[in-house]
Amino acid sequence: MATIIDGKRISQEIREEIKAETAAFAQENGYLPGLAVIIVGENPASQVYVRNKKKACEEVGFYSRVYELPEDTKQEDLNALVDQLNADEQIHGILVQLPLPKHLDENEVLLRIDPGKDVDAFHPYNVGKIMIGDYSFLPCTPAGVMALLERTGVDIAGKKCVVIGRSNIVGKPMAMLLLHANGTVTLCHSRTKDLAAETRQADILVVAIGKADFVTADMVKEGAVVIDVGMNRRADGKLTGDVDFASVEPVASAITPVPGGVGPMTITMLLKNTLTAARMKN
Ligand code: GUN
């Protein structure tokens, strides 16, 4: 029987810590950490994420603003809003919800965000800092995974870590954080030959490929720690991860469920980054 890593509980625990730190920060400095979230268009999944971010801000006592822009927003108008928020004293963190509608240039917007307010850690300046292991902002989802491992007592040093998925948001920064924690890291992707041979080596397996129930028991070493970053909707409407939980759980020593694993941690790490940004302003 594997330990089920309870992301909901761990996330709540960290949010309580952030709430206490925020109260102390406000007392000391006379202002609240402030987050601005920009959403363009009507992507329903993005709307849910943004709503949850706003709610999380309220829970820990942050100041927050949500900008809902229409689908046909022009690049120059989005850029102008970012410029305005860069200069806004009440706002310490800026997040542009991705994906943007196709006519907008994502990289142009992300480059425009003041790196000191880039609480997603998507700006090339912050990506570079992550690469050299000197970061103020943690990439939210990978940082959430690291916090889960830490609070479950999983030691990373010297362990064989395999990450599946090489996205800029999860796979690549995930590999870096594991490397900086002294893991021996393999980054696998769609062109990896004999993926199962790689994943079967893993003491710690992190899966972020966006394919429902893709990792099965035969791909997992006995006693491995399995972290499922996936969030997929099955034909029957149920939420499921990238790992076939039912078959993998008996093989693993610890595993995250979906929902209730990595998911709640991402927003928690965003809150942490926003508090860091507010502190940096001092
Ligand atoms: N869309 C999906 N995940 C994320 C995230 O972590 N940050 C932003 N800005 N957009 C996302």
Side-chain angles (χ1 to χ4, degrees), residues 53 95-98 120 122 169 266:
K53 283 166 186 169
L95 182 144
V96 178
Q97 187 64 31
L98 303 178
D120 258 327
F122 288 169
I169 295 186
T266 298

Side-chain angles (χ1 to χ4, degrees), residues 73-223:
T73 296
K74 292 195 177 71
Q75 183 87 39
E76 65 208 58
D77 293 331
L78 180 56
N79 290 350
L81 175 57
V82 170
D83 291 346
Q84 179 197 317
L85 293 170
N86 280 340
D88 190 323
E89 293 269 317
Q90 275 187 304
I91 297 298
H92 310 103
I94 303 169
L95 182 144
V96 178
Q97 187 64 31
L98 303 178
L100 289 170
K102 284 196 175 49
H103 68 282
L104 294 171
D105 185 337
E106 215 161 89
N107 287 334
E108 188 177 325
V109 182
L110 297 180
L111 256 178
R112 209 161 180 114
I113 296 172
D114 176 347
K117 295 191 177 189
D118 171 36
V119 285
D120 258 327
F122 288 169
H123 190 289
Y125 174 81
N126 287 318
V127 174
K129 298 246 297 176
I130 290 160
M131 189 81 183
I132 60 171
D134 162 32
Y135 31 87
S136 8
F137 294 131
L138 301 153
C140 296
T141 301
V145 171
M146 295 303 280
L148 287 178
L149 292 173
E150 233 164 72
R151 293 194 183 219
T152 310
V154 176
D155 190 17
I156 298 164
K159 296 280 168 58
K160 175 93 178 143
C161 307
V162 176
V163 178
I164 319 182
R166 56 176 155 179
S167 71
N168 289 333
I169 295 186
V170 184
K172 282 190 232 171
M174 187 72 249
M176 278 303 130
L177 298 198
L178 290 165
L179 180 63
H180 295 319
N182 298 312
T184 301
V185 183
T186 303
L187 184 50
C188 297
H189 47 79
S190 54
R191 303 289 292 270
T192 296
K193 291 209 170 85
D194 201 352
L195 179 63
E198 299 293 340
T199 58
R200 274 197 296 268
Q201 304 276 320
D203 302 309
I204 299 169
L205 178 61
V206 181
V207 192
I209 41 170
K211 288 186 183 167
D213 307 322
F214 179 83
V215 170
T216 44
D218 56 302
M219 298 169 75
V220 178
K221 181 164 90 174
E222 184 81 38

Side-chain angles (χ1 to χ4, degrees), residues 4-107:
I4 309 299
I5 302 175
D6 187 346
K8 224 170 142 180
R9 180 186 61 76
I10 295 173
S11 170
Q12 203 50 47
E13 210 174 272
I14 300 174
R15 285 187 200 191
E16 290 299 329
E17 293 164 15
I18 294 171
K19 187 175 176 176
E21 286 176 50
T22 301
F25 175 87
Q27 182 88 20
E28 213 168 288
N29 300 285
Y31 63 89
L32 297 173
L35 176 70
V37 179
I38 304 173
I39 175 170
V40 186
E42 310 261 314
N43 181 319
S46 291
Q47 286 172 326
V48 173
Y49 289 137
V50 168
R51 215 176 305 136
N52 289 341
K53 283 166 186 169
K54 176 144 182 68
K55 206 168 127 226
C57 281
E58 283 160 8
E59 267 171 33
V60 297
F62 286 2
Y63 171 72
S64 68
R65 265 185 245 153
V66 175
Y67 292 85
E68 291 173 304
L69 307 184
E71 182 80 26
D72 62 356
T73 296
K74 292 195 177 71
Q75 183 87 39
E76 65 208 58
D77 293 331
L78 180 56
N79 290 350
L81 175 57
V82 170
D83 291 346
Q84 179 197 317
L85 293 170
N86 280 340
D88 190 323
E89 293 269 317
Q90 275 187 304
I91 297 298
H92 310 103
I94 303 169
L95 182 144
V96 178
Q97 187 64 31
L98 303 178
L100 289 170
K102 284 196 175 49
H103 68 282
L104 294 171
D105 185 337
E106 215 161 89
N107 287 334

